[in-house]
Each structure stands twice: as structure tokens, then as C-alpha cells.
Amino acid sequence: MNATVKKFATVLGMLAVTVSTTATANTTAHSQLLAQGAVGDPGKVTTPAIKIDGSSTVYPITQAIVKLFEAEPRNKGQQVEVKVSGTTGGFEKFCAGKTDISNASRPILLAEMETCKKNGVRYMEFPIAFDALTIAINPQNDWAKDITVAELKKLWEPAAQGKILRWNQVRAAWPDRPIKLFGAGDKSGTFDYFTEAIVGKSKASRKDYTPSEDDEALVEGISKDPNALGYFGYAYYQENQSKLKLLAVDNGKGAILPSTQTVEKNQYRPLSRPLFIYVNLRSSSNRQLLGKFVTLYINRVSKVADAVGYVPLPNGVRDLNYVNFNRGKTGTVFSGKARIDSKISDLLPKKPVY
């Protein structure tokens, strides 16, 4: 993951020059809410902390925003901690009130909503970018150029465990060679979304594969095995193109490769998905600092997402994020499920549910 961030250090350095002109925008409307969060002895110098956890897919974006935030002189010495435990693992901590922001590669689920509600954790939901879940193979693989959604299901559904073990079992024209699978761990939102989109049921998957919540580990495994196939977020392919080869995905309307263009045109289906951050502003002990950080996030995320390798959301979504933040709008518009193939612009104006 750190390699992904380092690659864009120069880009982020240029972005940092302009941060100071935008980071204070749109703060007036919620200044009263933030002021309620001032803590500690006003005469005592403290170092507030923002705690972030969750998705490895969202990690490169959030870590890049953290670097921009820390580049501001007025934020010098402020500690922002970013960890990765997968979307599900992140929500477990977030809904227990242990973190301020949860990175998520899927919307919050019904059970997680109930846990947050039980614990009094009220959250703001901010879509931040689009991702193309990427099917990757080893560059030495010279027989596979595309794969159908039906073949992906045949390969990854629970019934495939211990049975679909060779490439020619997936497609007869492929060679009689063992197939080694790599994919997201079951704490990952990528795992949830992939199984929902491909198998038809969230968390329904064969278990005889190499799982990880760390996408860098998946890249490494696929790059070392000529018989490998795996899936992860598009930015990790962008960072490791020399080590990997893409498979186009055919949903019945022709084989489509993931790209900014195919995601924007809603052609790369059903593996295009929105990415999120969830913010617990009201309960944070460092509300003022968190408010500044979220304002910066909303301001800069489009450019950062593009630099890291994801698809920026339309300006209209950014504007809605501003409105929702300034109004203190809590809850989710996704009804506790992934909403495969839904357009983000159609969902945001809906009334949120907490």
C-alpha cells in the first residue's frame, strides 16, 4: 500500500500548494457544531488524534489526503492514524466508537447500522470515488484474454470448492493446468461486493483460495504464479501493471476492460462500485480537527482519486457532500446493501436512514 502512495508523492506535493486556498471553504455553516467539540484545558497544548480504519481499497486515497492535511503549517503536529483491517473490520471498530472515520469499499450493511445505532454512533456517509474491481492474471498467462460473469461465478461460488481446480474446467479451450486463486479476505468490502455481484449472494464464496485484506499481498501472489487469477481494486493494478495482466469481463454485452472511461460510461458491469468514508463527527473528542480534515477531504478527493488511479465522482456529488456535511446529515441512502449497478447520482438525493 505504501508503494501506491509513494508513486504519487510528486503529484500530491503539487496539490498541497493549493490546499491552503480551499481547506477553509464551506466551514461557516457547521462552525457552531464544531465549536461544541472543543475539549481539554484551553491553556494546555494538546495533540488531537483522528483515528481511521477500514478498507485497503480506500487506503491510498485517505493516506494521500492525510499527507495533504499534514502539509498545512497550521496542522503541524496533529496526529492522524490510518490503519487497514478491511471494510467489515473497520465498521466493527467504527460502530463501537473506536474510530472517527471508516474507509469502506461498500455501503454500511443493516447489521452494522443496528450496531452503530445501539452504540449511539451517528455517522455521515460520503461517496468519494468509483472503483473498478479488477480481475488479474500473471503476465505469463497467454491463453486467457477475457472471462464471462458466468465463468467467474462457476469459479468462485461455494460449490466450486475442491472441484473447480484447473483452467480447462472453467473454459474447455483453456489448458489443463492448475488454477491458483487469490482474493479479498472475508473482512473486506471487496469480498462482500464481489460475491454479491458475481455469485449473487454477499459472502458466498469458495474458501480454498489465498485471501488477504491487503491488496499488495494479492498483487505479489499473482505476480509470482503463472497459473494465478485474482481480484482487487483498480488502483493496485495501475500501480503494478508490469507485474500483472488484465482480464476483460463479459456480462453478456461483450468483453470490457476496466478503465476510467468504461466505469464513467457504466459499461464495466457489474464490477464498478462506489467507495466511501463514514464519519462520526458528533461523538468525536476532536471535533474541530475532524471537521477541518473532512472539509479538506471533500475539497481534494477528486484530484487525489484520479492521481491514485480511481475514477473521480462528478462535481454534483462533491456539492451534495458539502451540503450533507454542512447540514450535519447523518445516515445512509443505500438501505444497508450494496445496490449492484446503481448510479451514485441517482441515490444521493434520497432521504438517509440511520
Side-chain angles (χ1 to χ4, degrees):
M1 291 175 289
N2 290 334
T4 304
V5 176
K6 288 178 182 177
K7 177 181 178 182
F8 299 101
T10 302
V11 176
L12 299 179
M14 292 186 291
L15 289 173
V17 174
T18 61
V19 164
S20 60
T21 64
T22 58
T24 57
N26 296 288
T27 57
T28 303
H30 63 279
S31 60
Q32 185 177 1
L33 173 64
L34 299 183
Q36 295 171 2
V39 296
D41 182 354
K44 183 179 180 181
V45 177
T46 60
T47 304
I50 296 173
K51 294 183 179 181
I52 307 173
D53 206 324
S55 168
S56 64
T57 304
V58 179
Y59 173 90
I61 301 175
T62 296
Q63 185 63 17
I65 295 291
V66 168
K67 290 183 179 296
L68 292 178
F69 184 75
E70 292 175 341
E72 286 193 340
R74 63 183 173 178
N75 296 326
K76 186 177 181 180
Q78 306 287 14
Q79 181 188 0
V80 183
E81 178 185 79
V82 187
K83 293 185 177 181
V84 174
S85 59
T87 296
T88 300
F91 275 130
E92 288 173 358
K93 297 177 183 179
F94 182 75
C95 292
K98 296 179 179 179
T99 57
D100 302 295
I101 295 177
S102 203
N103 293 331
S105 59
R106 57 155 172 81
I108 190 169
L109 301 179
L110 283 172
E112 294 160 345
M113 292 168 64
E114 286 301 314
T115 302
C116 277
K117 190 173 183 178
K118 178 182 177 181
N119 293 331
V121 175
R122 298 188 69 86
Y123 48 84
M124 297 180 178
E125 176 183 74
F126 299 111
I128 57 168
F130 258 104
D131 178 30
L133 247 178
T134 300
I135 310 300
I137 56 177
N138 187 281
Q140 294 183 46
N141 182 322
D142 59 1
W143 58 88
K145 294 181 175 58
D146 57 65
I147 191 166
T148 68
V149 171
E151 288 168 339
L152 282 170
K153 180 179 180 180
K154 180 180 180 181
L155 182 58
W156 283 98
E157 64 186 349
Q161 182 166 326
K163 297 178 181 179
I164 307 299
L165 305 173
R166 307 189 72 80
W167 279 91
N168 64 341
Q169 290 178 284
V170 182
R171 185 181 294 183
W174 288 342
D176 183 12
R177 298 180 59 152
I179 189 166
K180 180 65 180 294
L181 298 175
F182 294 83
D186 61 9
K187 293 286 187 182
S188 169
T190 297
F191 174 80
D192 295 339
Y193 190 92
F194 181 83
T195 50
E196 177 83 23
I198 297 302
V199 180
K201 182 180 179 181
S202 180
K203 300 185 182 298
S205 173
R206 66 188 300 165
K207 297 180 180 179
D208 54 341
Y209 71 98
T210 301
S212 180
E213 273 78 25
D214 183 350
D215 292 346
E216 292 282 7
L218 301 177
V219 168
E220 192 67 15
I222 296 168
S223 69
K224 291 181 177 180
D225 192 330
N227 295 310
L229 178 147
Y231 65 90
F232 42 76
Y234 187 60
Y236 289 90
Y237 166 74
Q238 293 277 70
E239 169 65 14
N240 297 280
Q241 293 185 46
S242 62
K243 300 179 181 179
L244 303 167
K245 179 180 174 182
L246 284 183
L247 278 187
V249 176
D250 188 344
N251 66 1
K253 297 182 179 180
I256 302 292
L257 286 168
S259 70
T260 298
Q261 293 72 28
T262 59
V263 171
E264 286 178 343
K265 294 178 181 179
N266 201 32
Q267 294 173 333
Y268 187 67
R269 302 169 62 187
L271 294 179
S272 296
R273 56 172 180 169
L275 305 175
F276 305 86
I277 58 169
Y278 287 78
V279 180
N280 179 9
L281 183 63
R282 294 182 181 274
S283 301
S284 173
S285 60
N286 300 298
R287 195 176 297 170
Q288 289 179 314
L289 180 67
L290 184 59
K292 293 177 182 178
F293 181 80
V294 174
T295 299
L296 174 63
Y297 208 123
I298 293 172
N299 264 310
R300 308 310 298 166
V301 70
S302 290
K303 289 186 177 180
V304 168
D306 184 54
V308 172
Y310 293 120
V311 181
L313 293 177
N315 289 338
V317 176
R318 179 200 61 195
D319 295 341
L320 277 169
N321 279 339
Y322 275 135
V323 171
N324 294 341
F325 179 55
N326 290 334
R327 290 179 178 175
K329 182 178 178 181
T330 59
T332 174
V333 300
F334 286 83
S335 304
K337 54 186 177 181
R339 297 288 188 93
I340 304 299
D341 280 345
S342 292
K343 293 182 179 179
I344 193 73
S345 57
D346 295 335
L347 295 170
L348 277 177
K350 292 187 176 182
K351 184 178 179 180
V353 177
Y354 171 66

